[in-house]
């Protein structure tokens, strides 16, 4: 894949970049190693100062970096500005809380007495150089939710970003550099995915995190496994959105539209499969379809646009193939299932609602990465749970109900890293984010995220002879 900025709204190639050669990669690995030697011993107060400065700079740059993101991958300008603001918020959250999240833990003396310790503690130390392989869909946020905790913990980062967002990738290196982080603390490597293996196998790289598709995750995890290096994987999702009879249907249907088309339908945590209790199925379908029809599809730079283009021509081709397969096998399109007639340039696709889905269709078990919703009818709660879990993925999930019994059963049975009741899934710095099954492993954000790339060190002090007397 060429490293280039290609505007999805027009298909025009705006800038191309040469991939780094072996010599430059070597120079940057050495720089990262040297930076770790320095950064790992800095005080939290200093890291906090630098991270807050990065957040302030990002706030100042918001309009420009939002335009860059929209130009590179097609998200609406409104969504791009919100993404930049969210990143600054997460930076400040880790700036404020990292020291507390990584504070020493002291097991109760009584618990460790029989180990012979006079006292013991758990101490968190950074792992070293962490390679981050990142996707284009939230080109700032995916990186910041790794970088903010990693840098606050004393690690240093090497970013291999998706090849279609090179300017956003270079901006991130520049941002941390301007904020005052020592040179080499956060570097962008403009390389293709073929270069990842050698970098990951380099002994100077301690660990890796990958957000992206399952094949990419499998490849990175296999190499890291071979090298016995820690990984965190944030992979695809096909989140269920369950609507039970006690739900506020109007709110559920409105939120369903946003949950499906956020980021032009290209979000890992977008609700993709809508599982509706038979008692409210028709009512929900009508409201949901009406909401999807009302959306404005068009130029993502316009403030009034709800849904911009897909990020790549291949992405649209893949989505069209999924829809065609479903229609061929008996699915019904309540709206969409085609390109918008008036937009003859760019990779647009109409918001689509498909019903009559069956297990033999590819869309039943594959991720639809675009504004295409599938709706299922469930006879009752048990069937809703079965349908919700009938997927290889397990990222997050949404349930609409006012019934406490429903809540208890979904919390017990839903195979996902998150369950959001009466609202849509969203990431937040204070809450862990990640999946189960083929959605990956490990967690980002919260204390869990910052501790992933730490050496959780046992510090044990033997009792002096006098202590035993
Ligand atoms: P992708 O094709 O897997 O690309 C993601 C990153 O991995 C890019 O930097 C890509 O580089 C690199 N890559 C691809 N194949 C690789 C390989 N064999 N070895 C090493 N690196 C490789 O995914 P995408 O199309 O950009 O993103 C969409 C997917 O990401 C969806 O499945 C979505 O659900 C998932 N996602 C998950 C989360 C989450 O938090 N769980 C968040 C966002 C997105 P190139 O660009 O150079 O190919």
């Amino acid at each position: 894949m060429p490293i280039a900025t290609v505007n999805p709204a027009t298909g025009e190639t705006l800038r191309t970049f040469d991939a780094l050669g072996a010599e430059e990669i070597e120079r940057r690995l050495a720089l990262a190693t040297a930076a770790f030697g320095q950064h790992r011993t800095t005080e939290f107060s200093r890291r906090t100062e630098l991270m807050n400065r990065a957040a302030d700079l990002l706030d100042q740059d918001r309009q420009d970096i939002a335009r860059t993101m929209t130009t590179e991958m097609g998200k609406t300008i409104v969504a791009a500005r919100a993404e930049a603001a969210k990143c600054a918020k997460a930076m400040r959250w880790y700036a404020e809380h990292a020291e507390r999240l990584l504070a020493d833990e002291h097991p109760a003396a009584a618990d460790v007495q029989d180990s012979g310790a006079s006292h013991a503690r758990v101490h968190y130390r950074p792992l070293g150089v962490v390679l981050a392989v990142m996707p284009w869909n939230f080109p700032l946020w995916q990186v910041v939710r790794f970088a903010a905790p990693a840098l606050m913990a004393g690690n240093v980062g090497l970013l291999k970003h998706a090849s279609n967002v090179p300017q956003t990738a270079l901006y991130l290196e520049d941002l941390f550099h301007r904020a005052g982080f020592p040179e080499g603390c956060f570097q962008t490597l403009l390389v293709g995915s073929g270069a990842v293996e050698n970098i990951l196998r380099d002994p100077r790289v301690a660990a890796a995190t990958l957000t992206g598709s399952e094949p990419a995750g499998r490849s990175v995890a296999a190499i890291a496994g071979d090298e016995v290096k820690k990984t965190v994987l944030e992979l695809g999702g096909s989140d269920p959105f369950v609507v039970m009879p006690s739900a506020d249907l109007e709110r559920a249907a409105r939120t369903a539209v946003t949950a499906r088309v956020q980021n032009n339908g290209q979000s890992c945590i977008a609700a993709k499969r809508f599982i509706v209790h038979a008692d409210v199925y028709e009512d929900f379908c009508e409201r949901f379809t009406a909401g999807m029809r009302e959306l404005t599809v068009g130029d993502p730079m316009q403030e009034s646009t709800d849904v911009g283009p897909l990020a790549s021509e291949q992405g649209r081709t893949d989505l069209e193939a999924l829809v065609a397969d479903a229609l061929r096998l008996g699915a019904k399109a309540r709206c969409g299932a085609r390109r918008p007639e008036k937009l003859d340039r760019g990779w647009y696709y109409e918001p689509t609602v498909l019903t009559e889905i069956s297990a033999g269709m590819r869309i039943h078990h594959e991720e639809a990465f675009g504004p295409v919703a599938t709706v299922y009818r469930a006879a009752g709660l048990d069937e809703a749970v079965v349908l919700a879990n009938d997927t290889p993925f397990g990222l997050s999930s949404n349930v609409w109900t006012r019934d406490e019994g429903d809540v208890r059963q979904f919390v017990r049975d839903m195979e996902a890293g998150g369950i959001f009741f009466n609202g849509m899934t969203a990431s937040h710095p204070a809450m862990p984010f990640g999946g189960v099954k083929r959605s990956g492993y490990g967690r980002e954000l919260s204390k869990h995220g910052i501790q992933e790339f730490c050496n959780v060190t046992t510090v044990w002090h033997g009792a002096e002879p006098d202590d035993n007397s």
Side-chain angles (χ1 to χ4, degrees):
M1 195 170 171
I3 302 174
T5 298
V6 183
N7 186 349
T10 60
E12 207 184 337
T13 300
L14 301 176
R15 267 184 85 175
T16 55
F17 295 79
D18 292 330
L20 299 183
E23 224 170 275
E24 182 58 12
I25 294 173
E26 168 55 35
R27 190 186 74 78
R28 283 165 179 260
L29 277 166
L31 195 60
T33 310
F36 177 60
Q38 184 187 351
H39 185 58
R40 73 184 188 86
T41 61
T42 51
E43 299 290 333
F44 276 107
S45 57
R46 175 68 180 151
R47 294 179 203 162
T48 295
E49 194 185 314
L50 299 179
M51 192 56 72
N52 279 330
R53 202 179 298 154
D56 292 345
L57 289 170
L58 180 53
D59 278 341
Q60 287 164 25
D61 298 343
R62 188 183 305 162
Q63 184 62 23
D64 288 344
I65 186 59
R67 288 185 73 82
T68 302
M69 285 192 276
T70 297
T71 304
E72 292 203 303
M73 51 66 66
K75 67 169 59 220
T76 65
I77 191 71
V78 175
R81 282 198 299 262
E83 181 174 337
K86 180 173 177 163
C87 289
K89 181 177 154 184
M91 287 170 160
R92 292 193 178 99
W93 192 85
Y94 272 111
E96 184 182 346
H97 296 290
E99 184 169 11
R100 173 179 63 80
L101 301 175
L102 298 180
D104 285 356
E105 290 162 16
H106 300 271
D111 285 344
V112 292
Q113 206 173 21
D114 64 356
S115 77
S118 65
H119 58 283
R121 65 196 160 109
V122 178
H123 181 64
Y124 291 91
R125 292 183 293 165
L127 275 188
V129 179
V130 184
L131 173 67
V133 182
M134 290 289 149
W136 46 263
N137 64 339
F138 291 92
L140 214 51
W141 170 243
Q142 305 293 3
V143 179
V144 166
R145 79 179 182 186
F146 151 73
L151 291 172
M152 285 306 299
N155 290 302
V156 307
L158 284 177
L159 169 65
K160 182 271 176 273
H161 216 326
S163 293
N164 57 338
V165 289
Q167 296 190 58
T168 309
L170 291 171
Y171 168 80
L172 281 156
E173 178 180 275
D174 185 55
L175 175 71
F176 288 113
H177 179 68
R178 280 187 289 143
F181 280 94
E183 202 188 354
C185 262
F186 186 89
Q187 299 182 78
T188 289
L189 304 178
L190 285 188
V191 292
S193 56
V196 167
E197 176 161 3
N198 279 348
I199 298 168
L200 185 51
R201 287 196 186 278
D202 191 290
R204 290 167 291 187
V205 172
T209 180
L210 180 137
T211 301
S213 63
E214 196 185 322
R218 199 182 304 120
S219 166
V220 163
I223 296 161
D226 194 37
E227 296 288 341
V228 197
K229 291 181 182 179
K230 171 85 186 266
T231 49
V232 168
L233 296 184
E234 296 285 358
L235 308 180
S238 191
D239 290 0
F241 185 107
V242 178
V243 184
M244 297 299 287
S246 64
D248 176 339
L249 268 200
E250 181 50 35
R251 227 160 54 80
R254 236 183 306 121
T255 308
V257 172
T258 311
R260 179 54 287 212
V261 304
Q262 59 172 321
N263 213 37
N264 307 339
Q266 304 158 120
S267 169
C268 53
I269 47 166
K272 293 174 184 135
R273 298 174 300 124
F274 297 81
I275 297 161
V276 187
H277 193 284
D279 292 355
V280 290
Y281 177 84
E282 218 22 77
D283 196 352
F284 176 84
C285 280
E286 276 171 28
R287 292 169 196 254
F288 181 43
T289 306
M292 292 286 271
R293 275 210 182 100
E294 275 168 19
L295 295 168
T296 304
V297 181
D299 181 358
M301 285 293 180
Q302 296 296 322
E303 300 284 332
S304 56
T305 295
D306 298 311
V307 183
L310 296 185
S312 69
E313 188 165 25
Q314 187 60 49
R316 183 172 67 175
T317 305
D318 293 347
L319 190 68
E320 285 177 329
L322 269 189
V323 172
D325 172 77
L327 293 175
R328 187 174 56 81
L329 293 173
K332 298 275 174 285
R334 295 223 177 185
C335 65
R338 60 179 182 200
R339 301 175 183 188
E341 274 169 16
K342 288 187 185 140
L343 296 163
D344 52 356
R345 289 198 314 162
W347 304 310
Y348 294 94
Y349 197 74
E350 281 192 10
T352 299
V353 176
L354 299 179
T355 58
E356 321 308 320
I357 304 299
S358 54
M361 299 172 184
R362 283 179 53 208
I363 204 164
H364 178 71
H365 48 89
E366 292 182 32
E367 180 182 25
F369 219 53
V372 174
T374 51
V375 190
Y376 298 77
R377 186 197 300 263
L381 189 150
D382 289 340
E383 191 183 355
V385 170
V386 169
L387 278 167
N389 291 339
D390 189 17
T391 169
F393 300 108
L395 196 49
S396 187
S397 59
N398 305 257
V399 179
W400 289 74
T401 181
R402 290 163 168 148
D403 183 303
E404 279 305 313
D406 290 359
V407 169
R408 274 194 299 279
Q409 188 163 340
F410 281 111
V411 170
R412 190 192 64 188
D413 294 340
M414 208 66 126
E415 296 169 357
I419 311 174
F420 285 66
F421 289 98
N422 303 316
M424 67 180 239
T425 298
S427 51
H428 185 282
M431 287 187 297
F433 183 96
V436 294
K437 294 159 76 176
R438 300 224 165 184
S439 291
Y441 52 76
R443 291 293 179 268
E444 293 195 287
L445 301 175
S446 77
K447 73 168 185 180
H448 299 279
I450 197 168
Q451 290 174 357
E452 287 283 6
F453 293 114
C454 285
N455 173 354
V456 185
T457 312
T458 296
V459 182
W460 183 93
H461 297 266
E464 292 298 322
D466 279 348
D467 293 349
N468 288 329
S469 59

